[in-house]
Amino acid sequence: MNIDAQIRFIGDLLVNKGLLTKEQKDNCESELANDPQLSGKSFEEYLIQKNIISENALLKVYGEHLSYPFIDLSQHPVDAQTILLVPIKFANQHKVIPMKREDDILTVALRNPFDISVIDQLKTLTQLEIKPVIGTM
């Protein structure tokens, strides 16, 4: 999905959930496209920075759309052994937190649930099935 299509998709998703008006969506898209100071900023980052939507609200919408549970990371302790299953450089780069391991399943909190390649890389790195959840870092 290219950047313009991703912006439209996310914008439409937020409009459908009633968290953004169509006018707000159109204005944000226009500002992102035409303001050179916003170059490289994602649609989501823009919405959060402008206080149009909170990060938690955005992530909850993603979770509902993808049928991934949303968790409050401050309420879920991370197992010390589990955290070692994913290299720290990878976890920091991709904003993932390995939460717990049950048999051959690793529960991982993701910041960007649309990046399927991260889930695939986690499977390869850990040799485990990945159960994605959404949480803030």
Side-chain angles (χ1 to χ4, degrees), residues 117-137:
S117 70
V118 169
I119 295 171
D120 290 340
Q121 290 175 60
L122 283 166
K123 284 180 188 178
T124 301
L125 278 171
T126 64
Q127 297 298 302
L128 299 168
E129 287 301 311
I130 304 301
K131 177 183 173 187
V133 297
I134 298 178
T136 56
M137 311 290 163

mmCIF file of all heavy atoms in Angstrom, residues 117-137:
data_model
loop_
_atom_site.group_PDB
_atom_site.id
_atom_site.type_symbol
_atom_site.label_atom_id
_atom_site.label_comp_id
_atom_site.label_asym_id
_atom_site.label_seq_id
_atom_site.Cartn_x
_atom_site.Cartn_y
_atom_site.Cartn_z
ATOM 1 N N SER A 117 5.458 -7.216 7.657
ATOM 2 C CA SER A 117 6.844 -7.691 7.532
ATOM 3 C C SER A 117 7.511 -7.817 8.903
ATOM 4 O O SER A 117 8.360 -8.689 9.099
ATOM 5 C CB SER A 117 7.658 -6.777 6.609
ATOM 6 O OG SER A 117 7.883 -5.527 7.208
ATOM 7 N N VAL A 118 7.136 -6.975 9.854
ATOM 8 C CA VAL A 118 7.704 -7.075 11.200
ATOM 9 C C VAL A 118 7.272 -8.389 11.847
ATOM 10 O O VAL A 118 8.085 -9.079 12.475
ATOM 11 C CB VAL A 118 7.301 -5.863 12.078
ATOM 12 C CG1 VAL A 118 7.664 -6.092 13.535
ATOM 13 C CG2 VAL A 118 7.954 -4.600 11.560
ATOM 14 N N ILE A 119 6.014 -8.751 11.691
ATOM 15 C CA ILE A 119 5.524 -10.019 12.248
ATOM 16 C C ILE A 119 6.261 -11.190 11.592
ATOM 17 O O ILE A 119 6.697 -12.120 12.274
ATOM 18 C CB ILE A 119 3.996 -10.141 12.081
ATOM 19 C CG1 ILE A 119 3.309 -9.053 12.914
ATOM 20 C CG2 ILE A 119 3.508 -11.529 12.478
ATOM 21 C CD1 ILE A 119 1.819 -8.922 12.684
ATOM 22 N N ASP A 120 6.440 -11.115 10.276
ATOM 23 C CA ASP A 120 7.175 -12.174 9.576
ATOM 24 C C ASP A 120 8.629 -12.259 10.058
ATOM 25 O O ASP A 120 9.166 -13.352 10.257
ATOM 26 C CB ASP A 120 7.140 -11.941 8.066
ATOM 27 C CG ASP A 120 5.766 -12.159 7.464
ATOM 28 O OD1 ASP A 120 4.929 -12.844 8.102
ATOM 29 O OD2 ASP A 120 5.513 -11.634 6.368
ATOM 30 N N GLN A 121 9.265 -11.114 10.265
ATOM 31 C CA GLN A 121 10.639 -11.104 10.755
ATOM 32 C C GLN A 121 10.728 -11.669 12.171
ATOM 33 O O GLN A 121 11.686 -12.382 12.502
ATOM 34 C CB GLN A 121 11.208 -9.681 10.727
ATOM 35 C CG GLN A 121 11.457 -9.161 9.315
ATOM 36 C CD GLN A 121 11.903 -7.708 9.335
ATOM 37 O OE1 GLN A 121 12.920 -7.395 9.935
ATOM 38 N NE2 GLN A 121 11.136 -6.837 8.687
ATOM 39 N N LEU A 122 9.728 -11.349 12.994
ATOM 40 C CA LEU A 122 9.701 -11.898 14.350
ATOM 41 C C LEU A 122 9.598 -13.427 14.319
ATOM 42 O O LEU A 122 10.248 -14.113 15.110
ATOM 43 C CB LEU A 122 8.546 -11.306 15.152
ATOM 44 C CG LEU A 122 8.754 -9.890 15.670
ATOM 45 C CD1 LEU A 122 7.431 -9.292 16.151
ATOM 46 C CD2 LEU A 122 9.791 -9.868 16.785
ATOM 47 N N LYS A 123 8.768 -13.947 13.411
ATOM 48 C CA LYS A 123 8.643 -15.406 13.275
ATOM 49 C C LYS A 123 9.990 -16.024 12.932
ATOM 50 O O LYS A 123 10.384 -17.047 13.489
ATOM 51 C CB LYS A 123 7.625 -15.757 12.181
ATOM 52 C CG LYS A 123 6.198 -15.581 12.564
ATOM 53 C CD LYS A 123 5.292 -15.966 11.402
ATOM 54 C CE LYS A 123 3.861 -15.622 11.694
ATOM 55 N NZ LYS A 123 2.980 -15.936 10.556
ATOM 56 N N THR A 124 10.699 -15.385 12.009
ATOM 57 C CA THR A 124 11.998 -15.891 11.583
ATOM 58 C C THR A 124 13.029 -15.789 12.705
ATOM 59 O O THR A 124 13.775 -16.737 12.967
ATOM 60 C CB THR A 124 12.494 -15.117 10.343
ATOM 61 O OG1 THR A 124 11.524 -15.266 9.299
ATOM 62 C CG2 THR A 124 13.833 -15.624 9.869
ATOM 63 N N LEU A 125 13.062 -14.646 13.387
ATOM 64 C CA LEU A 125 14.033 -14.432 14.470
ATOM 65 C C LEU A 125 13.841 -15.396 15.629
ATOM 66 O O LEU A 125 14.809 -15.904 16.200
ATOM 67 C CB LEU A 125 13.904 -13.009 15.019
ATOM 68 C CG LEU A 125 14.589 -11.890 14.281
ATOM 69 C CD1 LEU A 125 14.154 -10.541 14.847
ATOM 70 C CD2 LEU A 125 16.096 -12.028 14.378
ATOM 71 N N THR A 126 12.584 -15.630 16.001
ATOM 72 C CA THR A 126 12.291 -16.403 17.211
ATOM 73 C C THR A 126 11.954 -17.865 16.951
ATOM 74 O O THR A 126 11.962 -18.664 17.883
ATOM 75 C CB THR A 126 11.103 -15.769 17.967
ATOM 76 O OG1 THR A 126 9.931 -15.848 17.154
ATOM 77 C CG2 THR A 126 11.402 -14.324 18.341
ATOM 78 N N GLN A 127 11.617 -18.182 15.702
ATOM 79 C CA GLN A 127 11.161 -19.531 15.350
ATOM 80 C C GLN A 127 9.892 -19.894 16.120
ATOM 81 O O GLN A 127 9.656 -21.056 16.450
ATOM 82 C CB GLN A 127 12.266 -20.571 15.580
ATOM 83 C CG GLN A 127 13.493 -20.356 14.717
ATOM 84 C CD GLN A 127 13.190 -20.475 13.240
ATOM 85 O OE1 GLN A 127 12.710 -21.509 12.783
ATOM 86 N NE2 GLN A 127 13.440 -19.424 12.481
ATOM 87 N N LEU A 128 9.064 -18.869 16.417
ATOM 88 C CA LEU A 128 7.811 -19.058 17.145
ATOM 89 C C LEU A 128 6.661 -18.450 16.352
ATOM 90 O O LEU A 128 6.867 -17.576 15.502
ATOM 91 C CB LEU A 128 7.883 -18.360 18.514
ATOM 92 C CG LEU A 128 8.960 -18.854 19.477
ATOM 93 C CD1 LEU A 128 9.101 -17.895 20.644
ATOM 94 C CD2 LEU A 128 8.640 -20.261 19.957
ATOM 95 N N GLU A 129 5.449 -18.909 16.650
ATOM 96 C CA GLU A 129 4.260 -18.242 16.113
ATOM 97 C C GLU A 129 4.100 -16.933 16.868
ATOM 98 O O GLU A 129 4.365 -16.873 18.071
ATOM 99 C CB GLU A 129 3.022 -19.122 16.279
ATOM 100 C CG GLU A 129 2.973 -20.311 15.349
ATOM 101 C CD GLU A 129 3.013 -19.905 13.885
ATOM 102 O OE1 GLU A 129 2.234 -19.011 13.491
ATOM 103 O OE2 GLU A 129 3.819 -20.485 13.138
ATOM 104 N N ILE A 130 3.640 -15.914 16.180
ATOM 105 C CA ILE A 130 3.502 -14.591 16.794
ATOM 106 C C ILE A 130 2.029 -14.285 16.997
ATOM 107 O O ILE A 130 1.226 -14.372 16.060
ATOM 108 C CB ILE A 130 4.160 -13.498 15.920
ATOM 109 C CG1 ILE A 130 5.634 -13.831 15.657
ATOM 110 C CG2 ILE A 130 4.000 -12.130 16.560
ATOM 111 C CD1 ILE A 130 6.502 -13.972 16.889
ATOM 112 N N LYS A 131 1.691 -13.917 18.235
ATOM 113 C CA LYS A 131 0.342 -13.455 18.556
ATOM 114 C C LYS A 131 0.451 -11.941 18.775
ATOM 115 O O LYS A 131 0.945 -11.494 19.817
ATOM 116 C CB LYS A 131 -0.179 -14.140 19.815
ATOM 117 C CG LYS A 131 -1.557 -13.640 20.227
ATOM 118 C CD LYS A 131 -1.990 -14.292 21.526
ATOM 119 C CE LYS A 131 -3.285 -13.676 22.016
ATOM 120 N NZ LYS A 131 -3.634 -14.155 23.344
ATOM 121 N N PRO A 132 0.010 -11.141 17.792
ATOM 122 C CA PRO A 132 0.134 -9.690 17.943
ATOM 123 C C PRO A 132 -0.951 -9.098 18.836
ATOM 124 O O PRO A 132 -2.094 -9.555 18.828
ATOM 125 C CB PRO A 132 -0.002 -9.167 16.513
ATOM 126 C CG PRO A 132 -0.613 -10.260 15.727
ATOM 127 C CD PRO A 132 -0.489 -11.534 16.493
ATOM 128 N N VAL A 133 -0.539 -8.134 19.640
ATOM 129 C CA VAL A 133 -1.452 -7.305 20.398
ATOM 130 C C VAL A 133 -1.011 -5.868 20.156
ATOM 131 O O VAL A 133 0.105 -5.623 19.707
ATOM 132 C CB VAL A 133 -1.464 -7.628 21.915
ATOM 133 C CG1 VAL A 133 -1.952 -9.051 22.166
ATOM 134 C CG2 VAL A 133 -0.112 -7.402 22.547
ATOM 135 N N ILE A 134 -1.887 -4.942 20.444
ATOM 136 C CA ILE A 134 -1.550 -3.534 20.234
ATOM 137 C C ILE A 134 -1.440 -2.864 21.593
ATOM 138 O O ILE A 134 -2.295 -3.039 22.460
ATOM 139 C CB ILE A 134 -2.612 -2.845 19.367
ATOM 140 C CG1 ILE A 134 -2.666 -3.497 17.994
ATOM 141 C CG2 ILE A 134 -2.318 -1.358 19.250
ATOM 142 C CD1 ILE A 134 -3.707 -2.938 17.086
ATOM 143 N N GLY A 135 -0.377 -2.102 21.750
ATOM 144 C CA GLY A 135 -0.166 -1.366 22.977
ATOM 145 C C GLY A 135 0.734 -0.178 22.726
ATOM 146 O O GLY A 135 1.442 -0.131 21.740
ATOM 147 N N THR A 136 0.683 0.781 23.617
ATOM 148 C CA THR A 136 1.558 1.936 23.472
ATOM 149 C C THR A 136 2.883 1.651 24.142
ATOM 150 O O THR A 136 2.954 0.925 25.116
ATOM 151 C CB THR A 136 0.926 3.203 24.079
ATOM 152 O OG1 THR A 136 0.600 2.933 25.438
ATOM 153 C CG2 THR A 136 -0.291 3.635 23.311
ATOM 154 N N MET A 137 3.915 2.234 23.598
ATOM 155 C CA MET A 137 5.272 2.019 24.108
ATOM 156 C C MET A 137 5.643 3.152 25.027
ATOM 157 O O MET A 137 5.444 4.271 24.769
ATOM 158 C CB MET A 137 6.290 1.948 22.972
ATOM 159 C CG MET A 137 5.925 1.026 21.861
ATOM 160 S SD MET A 137 6.017 -0.667 22.402
ATOM 161 C CE MET A 137 5.077 -1.464 21.135
#
